[in-house]
C-alpha cells in the first residue's frame, strides 16, 4: 500500500485549486486573504514533510491520477528537488501577500479583492503542478492557467498603463504558449506519448536510430523558445518592466519571484526527464541558451542602470538574474543545473524582498517611485531600508548573502566545460553592473535629503502610512533570514538539490 505521505503533493495542488473556488464565493476580500494565507502555509507544511521523506529516504516516487496507466493517463512525480522548490514557493507566496497587504487593499477595488485571491490561488496551483507534473500536456494546461492568472495580477491595479502592460504581457505570453504547444505537438507526433518517462524512452530510441532528427530538433527548439519567452529570457523580456513595475506590490513580488520560475522549472524537467543533457548539448540548444543567458545578464543590468523608477529598475534586474539561471542551464552540465536551481531559490527570496521593501519605502515617501524622491526613506521605515539593503547586497554577490553562493557555484560549474574564462569574465562584469545600479539606490534611500525636500515629500504622506506594519515586518524578517541561510548554511541545501537532480 502506498505510504500516505505520497498523497501530499496531490493534496497541495488540490487544496490550492479548491481555495480558488472557495475565495470566489467569499464576499469579503480580507476573508479571502486569510484563506489564501492559510493555504500557502498548509502547502508549505505538506511539501516540507515530502521533502523530509524523499531526501532522507533518497527516493523519488510517481503518483498516478485517474484510471489510465502509463504510457497514457496523468501522473505527478516527486523527489527532493521538487519538494524543496514547492516548499519555498509556498512560503514566498504567503510572505509576498503578507508584506504587500497594505498596498494590496489600497490599490484594488473592494469588489475585486476576492477575485484577486482566486487568481493568486490559481498561480499557486500552477507553480505546484508545473514543478510536480510528469505529463507534458498537463504542464501546458497549467502554463495557460498561470498566464491568465498572472495577467489578472498585473491589471488588478486598475489604471491605463497597467491595462496596456497587461495586453503586452498577454500577447507575449500567448506567443510563448503557442511555441511550446507546437513543439509538444511535433514531439507527440513522432513519439506518440505525453507522459515524460514514455517520451524519454521514445526520444532515446530516436537518438539511436537517427529517425526524425529534424522534427526532434524543431521540437527541442520550439519548447525551449516557448518557455524562454514566458520566463523573460533575453531578448524576449520587453514585456516584463511595465508588467512588474506597474503592478501592486504583492503582485510584483509574486510575478518576479515566483511566476517566472515555474516555466524555468518545467524547462528543467523537459531537459532532464525527456531530452537529456547530452541531446541538448548535441543539438546546440545548450549553446543558444548559454548565449541568451549571458546577454541577458549584461543587457538586463545595463537597462536597470538607466532606470530611476525603483520598481522598473528591479524588473530589469530580474532579466539579468534570469540570465544567470539560463547561463547555468546552457553550460550543459549537472553542476550548472545545480547552480541554476540554487539561484532559483536565491532569486525567489531576494526579489520579493526587494519589491516589498521598495513598495514600503515608496508608501512612506508619498507613493513616489523615483529614486530622487526616495532619498532618506530608509529612516522613515528602518526595517524596509535594512531589508532592501540585504536584498541588494545579495543580488550584487557580497559574501554571506545567498547571491554570492550562486555566483560561486556558477563559477565552479564552468570548470569542466572549458568555458571558465568566459564565464568568470561574464560573472565579474555582471557583478560590477549590478553594483552600479544597486549602490546608487542604497545611497538614495540612506542619504538624508535637504530639509526643504524632506518636508515636501512628507507633505504627501498620509499619517497612516507611517504606522508600524506588522505583516510587512514579519515578511521582511522571514525573507532576510532566508537570504542569510542561503548564504551561510548552503551546503545542506545544495545537497538536497544534487540529490533531487540525480533522482529527477
Amino acid at each position: 500500500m502506498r505510504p500516505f505521505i505520497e498523497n501530499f503533493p496531490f493534496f497541495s495542488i488540490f487544496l490550492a485549486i479548491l481555495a480558488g473556488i472557495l475565495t470566489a464565493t467569499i464576499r469579503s476580500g480580507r476573508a479571502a486573504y486569510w484563506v489564501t494565507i492559510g493555504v500557502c502555509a498548509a502547502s508549505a507544511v505538506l511539501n516540507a514533510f515530502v521533502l523530509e521523506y524523499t531526501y532522507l529516504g533518497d527516493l523519488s516516487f510517481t503518483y498516478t491520477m485517474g484510471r489510465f496507466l502509463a504510457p497514457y493517463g496523468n501522473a505527478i512525480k516527486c523527489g527532493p528537488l521538487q519538494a524543496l522548490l514547492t516548499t519555498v514557493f509556498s512560503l514566498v507566496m504567503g510572505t509576498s501577500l503578507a508584506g504587500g497587504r497594505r498596498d494590496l487593499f489600497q490599490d484594488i477595488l473592494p469588489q475585486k479583492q476576492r477575485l484577486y485571491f482566486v487568481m493568486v490561488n490559481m498561480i499557486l496551483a500552477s507553480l505546484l503542478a508545473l514543478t510536480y507534473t510528469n505529463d507534458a500536456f498537463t504542464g501546458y494546461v497549467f502554463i495557460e492557467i498561470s498566464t491568465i492568472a498572472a495577467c489578472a495580477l498585473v491589471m488588478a491595479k486598475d489604471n491605463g498603463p497597467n491595462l496596456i502592460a497587461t495586453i503586452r504581457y498577454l500577447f507575449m505570453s500567448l506567443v510563448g504558449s503557442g511555441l511550446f504547444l507546437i513543439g509538444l505537438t511535433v514531439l507527440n507526433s513522432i513519439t506518440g506519448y505525453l507522459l515524460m518517462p514514455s517520451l524519454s524512452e521514445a526520444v532515446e530510441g530516436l537518438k539511436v536510430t537517427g529517425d526524425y532528427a529534424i522534427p526532434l530538433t524543431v521540437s527541442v527548439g520550439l519548447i525551449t523558445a516557448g518557455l524562454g519567452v514566458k520566463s523573460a529570457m533575453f531578448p524576449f523580456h520587453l514585456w516584463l518592466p511595465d508588467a512588474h513595475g506597474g503592478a501592486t506590490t504583492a503582485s510584483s513580488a509574486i510575478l518576479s519571484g515566483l511566476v517566472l520560475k515555474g516555466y524555468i522549472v518545467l524547462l528543467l524537467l523537459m531537459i532532464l526527464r525527456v531530452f537529456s543533457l547530452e541531446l541538448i548539448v548535441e543539438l546546440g540548444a545548450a549553446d543558444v541558451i548559454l548565449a541568451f543567458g549571458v546577454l541577458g545578464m549584461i543587457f538586463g543590468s545595463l537597462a536597470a542602470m538607466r532606470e530611476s523608477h525603483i520598481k522598473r529598475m528591479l524588473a530589469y534586474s530580474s532579466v539579468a538574474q534570469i540570465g544567470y539561471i539560463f547561463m547555468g542551464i546552457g553550460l550543459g552540465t549537472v553542476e550548472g543545473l545545480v547552480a541554476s536551481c540554487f539561484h532559483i531559490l536565491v532569486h525567489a527570496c531576494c526579489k520579493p524582498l526587494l519589491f516589498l521593501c521598495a513598495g514600503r519605502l515608496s508608501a512612506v515617501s508619498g507613493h513616489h517611485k523615483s529614486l530622487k524622491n526616495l532619498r532618506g526613506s530608509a529612516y522613515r521605515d528602518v526595517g524596509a531600508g535594512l531589508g532592501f539593503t540585504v536584498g541588494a547586497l545579495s543580488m550584487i554577490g557580497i559574501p554571506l548573502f545567498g547571491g554570492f553562493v550562486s555566483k560561486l557555484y556558477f563559477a565552479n560549474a564552468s570548470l569542466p566545460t572549458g568555458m571558465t574564462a568566459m564565464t568568470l569574465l561574464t560573472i565579474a562584469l555582471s557583478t560590477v553592473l549590478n553594483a552600479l545600479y544597486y549602490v546608487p539606490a542604497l545611497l538614495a534611500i540612506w542619504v538624508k535629503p535637504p530639509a526643504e525636500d524632506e518636508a515636501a515629500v512628507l507633505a504627501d504622506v498620509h499619517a497612516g502610512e507611517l504606522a508600524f506594519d506588522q505583516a510587512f515586518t514579519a515578511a521582511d524578517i522571514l525573507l532576510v533570514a532566508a537570504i542569510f541561510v542561503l548564504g551561510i548554511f548552503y551546503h545542506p541545501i545544495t545537497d538536497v538539490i544534487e540529490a533531487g537532480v540525480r533522482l529527477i
Side-chain angles (χ1 to χ4, degrees):
M1 184 176 177
R2 176 185 298 275
F4 184 70
I5 197 172
E6 294 188 7
N7 294 283
F8 284 6
F10 170 74
F11 286 168
S12 62
I13 298 171
F14 180 76
L15 185 62
I17 295 173
L18 184 63
I21 298 171
L22 178 61
T23 49
T25 65
I26 298 175
R27 291 190 176 185
S28 168
R30 294 190 181 275
Y33 165 84
W34 284 113
V35 168
T36 307
I37 290 290
V39 168
C40 292
S43 175
V45 171
L46 289 173
N47 288 295
F49 279 122
V50 176
L51 172 58
E52 180 186 33
Y53 171 69
T54 53
Y55 179 63
L56 296 182
D58 195 33
L59 58 87
S60 63
F61 61 88
T62 301
Y63 183 95
T64 302
M65 295 180 288
R67 57 181 179 173
F68 297 101
L69 301 178
Y72 307 104
N74 195 358
I76 58 180
K77 185 176 181 181
C78 178
L81 177 59
Q82 296 95 307
L84 173 63
L85 291 173
T86 50
T87 301
V88 172
F89 290 166
S90 300
L91 285 173
V92 173
M93 178 77 79
T95 54
S96 297
L97 291 173
R101 182 180 66 174
R102 184 174 289 181
D103 282 355
L104 193 156
F105 287 110
Q106 289 177 351
D107 292 340
I108 302 174
L109 296 174
Q111 63 269 29
K112 294 184 178 180
Q113 288 170 3
R114 62 188 177 89
L115 302 177
Y116 178 88
F117 294 108
V118 173
M119 297 297 106
V120 170
N121 282 295
M122 290 299 101
I123 285 181
L124 178 59
S126 299
L127 285 170
L128 298 173
L130 289 173
T131 306
Y132 277 134
T133 186
N134 204 29
D135 172 61
F137 188 74
T138 299
Y140 169 73
V141 171
F142 279 96
I143 282 175
E144 295 291 45
I145 293 173
S146 179
T147 297
I148 295 169
C151 287
L153 261 62
V154 174
M155 67 185 297
K157 188 177 179 180
D158 194 1
N159 56 41
N162 272 16
L163 294 177
I164 295 172
T166 302
I167 293 171
R168 185 180 293 115
Y169 183 14
L170 180 61
F171 176 78
M172 289 301 295
S173 291
L174 291 177
V175 169
S177 300
L179 291 173
F180 179 86
L181 181 59
I182 294 170
L184 186 58
T185 302
V186 172
L187 186 62
N188 175 251
S189 70
I190 60 177
T191 62
Y193 301 115
L194 289 170
L195 279 179
M196 292 183 183
S198 302
L199 280 172
S200 178
E201 292 178 7
V203 168
E204 186 64 31
L206 294 176
K207 285 167 56 180
V208 172
T209 62
D211 295 336
Y212 298 111
I214 293 178
L216 182 59
T217 303
V218 169
S219 174
V220 171
L222 289 173
I223 288 173
T224 302
L227 294 173
V229 170
K230 296 191 72 67
S231 54
M233 174 196 282
F234 181 89
F236 311 114
H237 66 283
L238 297 179
W239 55 268
L240 185 143
D242 290 335
H244 292 195
T248 191
T249 299
S251 294
S252 297
I254 293 169
L255 292 168
S256 184
L258 298 178
V259 173
L260 299 179
K261 310 302 187 307
Y263 308 128
I264 297 175
V265 172
L266 181 60
L267 177 60
L268 288 172
L269 295 180
M270 294 296 294
I271 290 174
L272 288 171
R273 285 192 196 156
V274 176
F275 300 124
S276 78
L277 274 174
E278 293 76 13
L279 180 63
I280 295 296
V281 172
E282 180 183 330
L283 295 179
D287 294 332
V288 176
I289 295 172
L290 177 65
F292 285 155
V294 168
L295 291 173
M297 292 165 61
I298 305 303
F299 286 98
S301 294
L302 290 174
M305 289 172 57
R306 297 194 297 267
E307 282 291 340
S308 60
H309 186 290
I310 190 168
K311 291 183 71 175
R312 286 178 61 87
M313 182 197 79
L314 294 176
Y316 276 117
S317 171
S318 289
V319 176
Q321 300 304 318
I322 294 297
Y324 276 94
I325 297 172
F326 281 116
M327 179 188 70
I329 297 172
L331 290 175
T333 63
V334 171
E335 293 80 6
L337 294 182
V338 170
S340 291
C341 290
F342 187 84
H343 198 64
I344 287 174
L345 298 178
V346 170
H347 191 254
C349 294
C350 286
K351 198 47 63 78
L353 174 64
L354 286 166
F355 271 112
L356 293 177
C357 291
R360 182 66 185 145
L361 294 172
S362 173
V364 297
S365 304
H367 290 281
H368 292 289
K369 301 293 191 301
S370 63
L371 290 174
K372 68 176 183 179
N373 290 322
L374 293 177
R375 284 183 296 176
S377 57
Y379 294 100
R380 298 177 207 123
D381 192 314
V382 176
L386 291 174
F388 191 90
T389 302
V390 169
L393 294 178
S394 180
M395 289 290 89
I396 292 172
I398 302 300
L400 302 182
F401 298 89
F404 172 77
V405 179
S406 290
K407 295 182 180 184
L408 183 63
Y409 271 80
F410 281 122
N412 288 337
S414 69
L415 295 178
T417 65
M419 294 183 286
T420 307
M422 184 274 292
T423 304
L424 292 178
L425 179 62
T426 304
I427 292 174
L429 178 58
S430 178
T431 299
V432 172
L433 294 176
N434 290 340
L436 288 177
Y437 59 86
Y438 275 120
V439 170
L442 292 175
L443 292 174
I445 66 172
W446 285 108
V447 174
K448 290 186 176 181
E452 59 273 16
D453 293 344
E454 177 81 1
V457 169
L458 289 176
D460 296 331
V461 181
H462 298 293
E465 298 289 2
L466 297 174
F468 181 69
D469 189 338
Q470 291 180 330
F472 166 78
T473 303
D476 187 15
I477 292 172
L478 181 61
L479 291 172
V480 166
I483 291 171
F484 279 113
V485 168
L486 290 167
I488 300 172
F489 307 105
Y490 57 89
H491 280 301
I493 300 170
T494 54
D495 288 344
V496 172
I497 294 173
E498 289 169 0
V501 171
R502 173 171 51 82
L503 294 168
I504 205 165

